[in-house]
């Protein structure tokens, strides 16, 4: 029984220490890792934008995860400078559309592998106060820019290495994405850049576990300066192709005669491709911020008290022939 009380007392002291330090969150650095999904918006997007956006938050058995790392430096109590890197992929397919959709017969698909890095200014990342008191939830937002490196693959062949026959009716794909579509020449003999700049913005919510550890829920939207993340950019088709794979990748379904791309936005810059990284992650804070030492000030009065004399009464004690 004594040991039980002792353990309870130790746990109580630890919790009290954590609570004390939680009120002194003055770390200068934060590093973390995250896991989540990539979302996509481009020429292969469906018309169900809300469903497309919400798909980033749902678990799917065969869907690949995206991973990220981050490093953050506090500049002021409300502003930080963050650096992020992530690696993952997204998949888009015309066969996921409703059959009544005019682009269903286009039968294009793409799996895009993404690697990126960016820097952002994070605002109110350490705003952990609510009504003057510390609060365990802290919202924040950020803006920045960086670079995206991408590679596009297509699912063009079945398990027997034969092209799918879209002209013969419904097709069941094997989801292998075996064909490299990056600069294969589906639209032009000229190559497009596969490392492109992007601008990013997003929001997040920090859940404080203790003064040095927090869980972050975050969505980072990235607008790329490219319309080729899905290998689709131009409306028309080439007059001739160099090989059978190139021709099939450009127009897999001969029954479809519409535009290859869906670049119908009157604002040309909106035809570029977007993607988003929605994640949950742990971040560890470290490195106490240095505080300037301000020495105490002592004040001396100009009024000096006069010295006083005190009479001492002699107490001589006779010892032998003398006195002590």
């Amino acid at each position: 029984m004594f040991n039980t009380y002792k353990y309870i007392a130790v746990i109580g002291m630890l919790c009290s220490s954590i609570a004390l330090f939680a009120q002194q969150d003055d770390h200068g650095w934060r590093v973390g890792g995250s896991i989540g999904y990539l979302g996509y918006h481009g020429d292969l997007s469906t018309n169900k934008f809300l469903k497309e956006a919400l798909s980033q938050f749902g678990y799917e058995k065969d869907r690949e995860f995206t991973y990220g790392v981050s490093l953050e430096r506090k500049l002021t109590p409300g502003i930080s400078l963050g650096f992020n890197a992530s690696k993952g992929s997204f998949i888009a397919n015309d066969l996921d559309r409703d059959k009544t959709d005019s682009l269903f017969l286009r039968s294009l698909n793409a799996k895009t592998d993404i690697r990126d890095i960016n820097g952002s200014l994070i605002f109110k990342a350490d705003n952990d106060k609510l009504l003057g008191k510390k609060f365990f939830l802290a919202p924040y937002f950020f803006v920045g820019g960086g670079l995206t490196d991408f590679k596009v693959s297509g699912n063009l062949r079945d398990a027997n290495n034969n092209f799918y026959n879209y002209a013969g009716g419904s097709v069941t794909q094997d989801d292998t994405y075996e064909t490299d579509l990056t600069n294969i020449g589906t639209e032009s003999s000229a190559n497009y850049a596969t490392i492109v700049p992007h601008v990013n913005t997003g929001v997040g919510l920090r859940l404080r576990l203790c003064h040095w550890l927090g869980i972050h829920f975050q969505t980072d939207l990235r607008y790329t300066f490219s319309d080729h993340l899905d290998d689709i950019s131009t409306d028309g088709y080439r007059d001739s192709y160099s090989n059978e794979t190139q021709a099939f990748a450009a127009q897999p379904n001969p029954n479809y005669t519409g535009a290859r791309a869906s670049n119908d936005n009157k604002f040309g810059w909106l035809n570029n491709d977007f993607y988003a990284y929605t994640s949950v992650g742990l971040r560890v804070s470290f490195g106490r911020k240095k505080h300037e030492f301000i020495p105490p000030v002592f004040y001396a009065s100009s009024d000096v008290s006069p010295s006083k004399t005190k009479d001492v009464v002699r107490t001589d004690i006779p010892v032998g022939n003398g006195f002590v």
Side-chain angles (χ1 to χ4, degrees):
M1 180 65 70
F2 174 75
N3 288 337
T4 301
Y5 288 132
K6 182 173 68 174
Y7 293 146
I8 293 175
V10 171
I11 293 174
M13 293 174 62
L14 289 175
C15 291
S16 299
S17 299
I18 291 175
L20 175 62
F21 280 113
Q23 306 301 319
Q24 303 171 353
D25 187 6
D26 57 356
H27 297 287
W29 293 89
R30 186 174 290 154
V31 64
S34 61
I35 185 173
Y37 291 131
L38 287 185
Y40 153 82
H41 182 74
D43 292 289
L44 284 173
S45 299
T46 66
N47 295 328
K48 299 177 180 178
F49 181 77
L50 181 60
K51 181 180 179 180
E52 180 182 287
L54 293 178
S55 68
Q56 299 177 69
F57 303 94
Y59 170 76
E60 297 180 17
K61 181 179 178 181
D62 299 324
R63 191 177 184 183
E64 295 182 0
F65 285 110
T66 296
Y67 302 93
V69 293
S70 64
L71 177 65
E72 186 178 322
R73 172 61 175 168
K74 181 186 291 185
L75 302 179
T76 72
I79 301 176
S80 297
L81 177 63
F83 299 94
N84 301 274
S86 61
K87 180 180 180 181
S89 64
F90 63 79
I91 292 176
N93 198 320
D94 277 337
L95 297 190
D96 291 334
R97 302 175 183 273
D98 294 332
K99 291 186 177 181
T100 56
D101 191 319
S102 60
L103 293 174
F104 177 83
L105 290 178
R106 185 176 58 170
S107 304
L108 295 175
N109 61 70
K111 176 185 177 183
T112 302
D113 296 315
I114 294 285
R115 294 184 302 174
D116 62 22
I117 186 170
N118 60 51
S120 303
L121 283 176
I122 307 168
F123 298 93
K124 299 183 180 179
D126 289 326
N127 184 20
D128 299 322
K129 293 185 178 180
L130 183 67
L131 301 178
K133 298 181 179 180
K134 288 284 182 178
F135 195 55
F136 67 96
L137 288 177
Y140 58 92
F141 73 96
F142 50 91
V143 292
L147 293 174
T148 297
D149 179 18
F150 67 95
K151 176 184 177 182
V152 192
S153 301
N155 184 11
L156 309 186
R157 299 175 182 268
D158 60 20
N160 297 318
N161 203 34
N162 297 317
F163 290 119
Y164 293 115
N165 182 15
Y166 293 102
S170 62
V171 170
T172 301
Q173 299 174 339
D174 61 8
D175 299 328
T176 57
Y177 295 90
E178 76 295 323
T179 305
D180 186 359
L181 299 181
T182 310
N183 286 315
I184 195 176
T186 52
E187 298 177 339
S188 171
S189 58
N191 290 341
Y192 50 78
T194 58
I195 300 178
V196 296
H198 71 253
V199 293
N200 66 292
T201 184
V203 295
L205 184 67
R206 180 190 178 203
L207 173 62
R208 177 202 294 269
L209 299 181
C210 62
H211 72 100
W212 57 270
L213 182 64
I215 299 178
H216 287 245
F217 303 92
Q218 181 173 299
T219 294
D220 188 348
L221 177 65
R222 294 154 189 179
Y223 166 83
T224 63
F225 290 86
S226 173
D227 192 18
H228 289 98
L229 263 62
D230 44 25
D231 193 55
I232 307 170
S233 177
T234 59
D235 294 338
Y237 297 89
R238 295 181 61 176
D239 296 330
S240 62
Y241 298 95
S242 302
N243 54 66
E244 188 179 13
T245 300
Q246 189 184 79
F248 187 85
Q251 190 176 10
N253 190 347
N255 293 331
Y256 177 76
T257 58
R260 173 174 161 80
S262 54
N263 294 337
D264 54 359
N265 200 298
K266 64 180 180 179
F267 300 104
W269 61 273
L270 286 176
N271 291 323
N272 284 355
D273 297 327
F274 298 77
Y275 69 99
Y277 178 34
T278 298
S279 63
V280 57
L282 286 175
R283 298 189 188 179
V284 177
S285 300
F286 64 95
R288 292 284 183 177
K289 289 186 66 178
K290 295 181 179 179
H291 296 280
E292 182 181 357
F293 175 72
I294 302 177
V297 179
F298 297 93
Y299 296 94
S301 173
S302 59
D303 298 329
V304 180
S305 301
S307 60
K308 297 181 180 179
T309 59
K310 185 176 182 180
D311 295 333
V312 178
V313 179
R314 295 185 63 181
T315 55
D316 296 340
I317 301 174
V319 177
N321 294 326
F323 292 90
V324 177

